[in-house]
């Protein structure tokens, strides 16, 4: 029998390569490709059709069943990101950088669910039971009826789950789990995949909800959460800048609710506190009106969030000037710089550009284009924008402004926070008399003329 040839898998995205390479062609990550034991080739000579299988029971789409009852944890930000509470028998992945606060968040969530009457189990593969207990004490959760286990052997965990039949189990983290049926080190792509598969299958067949914690890894060897994203119902990422105390829980996939919903938390000495009004928080650091600052009225999931986009433009001493972008898509920034240059005649050659979203927020909506351009222009011209102005609109390559969705929501939130004027694309339909002064502009050239004179 021919020996199966080795296989190389990217630990960041799971792509399989024929040979080792320094950079994964699929996701562009460096030094993430590792050799994996090939999955068993299987009985290639036999086909499935030869032997008879069991007939599976089929049913129709019509149903009398009520939608599954969801359980609310009472942590409103967490429940919202789940799409309105925890669905029974669902599999959820919570990814994030090490040290960002995943264990803290889930300990708080599991305690909240336990207090709502769910039978909850918290399995830690990273910390000893005593450490988790200590953390719970510090968070004031020691009284919550959560069963605690410290284990990494998947077989033992599944046996325990079978006997205990909890409603919810947290696995912290999936990278520490190992199945003795797979000949690979814990944390390798094949171990992580098979552990996730076993746990998710268990969840679906026994009606247990599982939450898997996955560390986002920068190194090879350890597989990242992306390799199990396709197996679970819901994928949440916990993000934030290390230096900031704000943390954002973002749904990137959800079979039971809207994707791209966010929950905002603040890391305090006593654990994660919910932030009910993120706009006020993200704008709270705004001081006197200064050049380079523009307020964007954005939508995250189902709710409006106002953020401040900050730009700094300075003469560069480099042959190819710097483009440093934090919290925004750098491709989008390049596009807008190009549009400003070729359609509006405002070059940024020889200038370093720094862009940032205040508070460590990430903005990915195309609707942020106009606010981004406004911040850039304001920084370049050294002219502050009016402090009570919000901006939104998408910029096309021809420099035309395209209308965006959920206009009323954006305007209402801005008005609530004391803004009195808005700049938006011309084609936008605004229903109801928003109490703000609206300026609808057809394109970026008009915007430049309007705000900064002839440009
Ligand atoms: P942790 O939940 O252990 O992160 P993860 O599980 O994602 O690796 O959180 C670690 C960080 O959170 C640690 O640097 C300390 C900080 N922290 C607080 O600031 N306050 C707290 O109450 C707790 C529990 C943690
Ligand atoms: Mg942890």
């Amino acid at each position: 029998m021919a020996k199966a040839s080795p296989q190389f898998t990217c630990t960041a995205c799971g792509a399989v390569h024929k040979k080792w390479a320094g950079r994964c062609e699929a996701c562009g990550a460096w030094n993430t490709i590792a050799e994996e034991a090939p999955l068993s080739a299987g009985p290639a000579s036999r086909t499935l059709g030869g032997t008879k299988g069991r007939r599976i029971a089929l049913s129709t789409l019509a149903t009398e069943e009520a939608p599954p009852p969801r359980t609310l944890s009472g942590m409103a930000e967490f429940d919202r990101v789940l799409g309105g509470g925890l669905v029974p028998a669902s599999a959820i992945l919570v990814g994030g950088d090490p040290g960002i606060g995943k264990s803290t968040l889930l300990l708080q969530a599991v305690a909240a669910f336990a207090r709502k009457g769910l039978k909850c189990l918290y399995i830690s593969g990273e910390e000893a039971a005593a450490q988790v207990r200590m953390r719970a004490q510090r968070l004031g959760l020691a009284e919550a009826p959560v069963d605690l286990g410290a284990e990494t052997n998947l077989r033992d965990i599944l046996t325990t789950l079978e006997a205990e039949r909890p409603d919810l189990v947290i696995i912290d983290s999936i990278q520490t789990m190992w199945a003795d049926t797979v000949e690979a080190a814990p944390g390798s792509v094949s171990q992580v995949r098979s552990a996730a598969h076993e746990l998710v299958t268990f969840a679906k067949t026994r009606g247990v909800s599982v939450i898997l914690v996955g560390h986002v890894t920068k190194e090879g060897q350890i597989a990242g959460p992306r390799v199990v994203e396709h197996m679970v119902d819901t994928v949440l990422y916990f993000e934030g800048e290390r230096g900031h105390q704000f943390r954002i829980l973002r749904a990137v996939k959800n079979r039971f609710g809207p994707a791209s919903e966010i929950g905002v938390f603040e890391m305090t000495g006593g654990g994660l506190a919910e932030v009910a009004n993120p706009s006020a928080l993200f704008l709270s650091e705004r001081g006197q009106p200064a050049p380079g600052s523009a307020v964007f009225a954005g939508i995250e999931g189902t709710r409006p969030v106002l953020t401040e986009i900050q730009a700094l433009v300075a003469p560069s001493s480099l042959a190819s000037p710097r483009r440093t972008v934090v919290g925004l898509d750098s491709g989008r920034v390049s596009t807008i710089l190009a549009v400003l240059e070729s359609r509006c005649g405002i070059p940024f050659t020889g200038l370093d550009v720094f862009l940032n979203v205040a508070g460590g927020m990430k903005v990915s909506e195309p609707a942020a284009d106009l606010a981004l351009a406004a911040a850039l222009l304001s920084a370049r011209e050294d002219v502050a924008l009016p402090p009570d102005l919000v901006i939104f609109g998408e910029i096309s390559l021809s420099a035309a402004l395209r209308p965006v969705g959920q206009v009323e929501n954006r305007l209402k939130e801005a008005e609530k926070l004391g803004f009195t004027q808005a700049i938006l694309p011309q084609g936008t339909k605004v229903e109801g008399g928003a109490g703000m002064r609206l300026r609808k502009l057809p394109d970026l050239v008009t915007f430049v003329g309007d705000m900064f004179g002839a440009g």
Side-chain angles (χ1 to χ4, degrees):
M1 203 178 107
K3 195 166 168 288
S5 54
Q7 166 180 314
F8 297 87
T9 315
C10 173
T11 51
C13 70
V16 177
H17 301 272
K18 277 248 161 51
K19 57 181 198 294
W20 190 87
R23 182 168 184 262
C24 172
E25 274 176 27
C27 69
W30 285 94
N31 219 3
T32 55
I33 294 179
E35 186 171 346
E36 283 282 318
L39 296 179
S40 94
S45 56
R46 278 187 281 147
T47 68
L48 272 178
T51 42
K52 263 227 160 99
R54 209 155 35 84
R55 243 190 99 169
I56 56 172
L58 304 174
S59 57
T60 62
L61 290 177
T63 175
E64 307 278 277
E65 285 166 41
R70 291 170 177 249
T71 311
L72 294 171
S73 67
M75 285 170 78
E77 295 293 301
F78 192 73
D79 292 334
R80 184 209 334 273
V81 178
L82 287 179
L86 182 73
V87 175
S90 59
I92 298 157
L93 172 70
V94 177
D97 288 329
I100 202 76
K102 300 181 294 300
S103 303
T104 309
L105 174 73
L106 290 175
L107 194 59
Q108 289 182 241
V110 80
F113 279 120
R115 286 187 175 140
K116 290 282 153 126
L118 292 193
K119 185 171 158 67
C120 296
L121 210 61
Y122 185 100
I123 309 264
S124 177
E126 302 196 331
E127 292 164 277
Q131 286 174 307
V132 180
R133 227 174 276 132
M134 232 163 66
R135 182 192 300 235
Q137 225 146 44
R138 218 154 62 70
L139 297 175
L141 304 171
E143 304 306 315
V146 177
D147 289 321
L148 191 61
E151 184 53 64
T152 57
N153 184 336
L154 196 61
R155 191 184 292 274
D156 294 347
I157 291 171
L158 289 176
T159 307
T160 311
L161 293 182
E162 184 74 65
E164 293 280 335
R165 289 296 176 97
D167 298 306
L168 170 65
V169 56
I170 315 280
I171 303 287
D172 187 4
S173 66
I174 188 70
Q175 281 114 339
T176 55
M177 298 295 137
W178 59 278
D180 50 17
T181 49
V182 179
E183 271 186 51
S188 61
V189 174
S190 28
Q191 277 289 8
V192 167
R193 276 208 181 131
S194 62
H197 176 75
E198 293 276 349
L199 285 162
V200 171
T201 315
F202 184 89
K204 299 282 159 201
T205 52
R206 304 295 203 287
V208 176
S209 297
V210 290
I211 300 184
L212 309 175
V213 174
H215 293 294
V216 171
T217 55
K218 301 273 181 311
E219 302 282 313
Q221 303 318 311
I222 307 287
R226 280 186 61 191
V227 304
V228 297
E229 275 186 359
H230 61 284
M231 295 183 200
V232 296
D233 301 311
T234 303
V235 177
L236 311 178
Y237 277 95
F238 203 38
E239 38 188 62
E241 300 293 323
R242 273 292 174 84
H244 286 106
Q245 70 271 41
F246 312 129
R247 300 281 182 271
I248 292 158
L249 185 67
R250 187 184 294 275
V252 298
K253 160 182 170 180
N254 196 351
R255 286 184 184 146
F256 309 118
S260 80
E261 194 70 83
I262 65 164
V264 184
F265 298 87
E266 189 177 350
M267 185 59 104
T268 68
L272 290 156
E274 296 179 63
V275 175
N277 190 344
S279 302
L281 179 90
F282 290 133
L283 296 181
S284 65
E285 291 168 6
R286 237 159 44 111
Q288 292 299 309
S293 156
V295 176
F296 166 54
I299 297 283
E300 294 289 340
T302 54
R303 73 174 157 173
V305 176
L306 266 56
T307 42
E308 181 193 2
I309 297 181
Q310 303 170 332
L312 175 68
V313 175
S316 179
S317 56
L318 301 170
S320 58
R322 245 180 245 279
R323 301 285 182 254
T324 305
V325 179
V326 179
L328 292 157
D329 178 30
S330 50
R332 208 64 214 165
V333 173
S334 306
T335 309
I336 289 164
L337 287 172
V339 172
L340 281 170
E341 179 146 4
S342 47
R343 307 282 179 198
C344 312
I346 303 173
F348 283 80
T349 32
L351 295 170
D352 283 335
V353 171
F354 304 88
L355 270 165
N356 177 33
V357 182
M361 178 73 182
K362 281 195 183 119
V363 174
S364 54
E365 258 189 297
D369 287 357
L370 188 56
L372 207 164
L376 282 171
L377 289 165
S378 157
R380 189 181 183 280
E381 305 297 314
D382 205 25
V383 175
L385 296 168
D388 56 351
L389 168 73
V390 294
I391 301 175
F392 58 88
E394 186 179 343
I395 299 175
S396 72
L397 291 183
S398 63
L401 298 185
R402 285 207 203 113
V404 295
Q406 304 207 41
V407 180
E408 281 84 13
N409 269 346
R410 296 176 202 264
L411 292 175
K412 230 183 270 160
E413 177 80 359
E415 200 182 349
K416 209 167 72 189
L417 285 155
F419 290 85
T420 59
Q421 44 177 329
I423 294 186
L424 55 165
Q426 191 159 59
T428 312
K429 285 191 196 68
V430 185
E431 279 158 29
M436 294 180 73
R437 200 154 64 82
L438 304 182
R439 266 193 292 167
K440 299 185 182 178
L441 304 178
D443 54 35
L444 194 55
V445 181
T446 327
F447 174 77
V448 174
D450 223 46
M451 298 301 302
F452 306 98

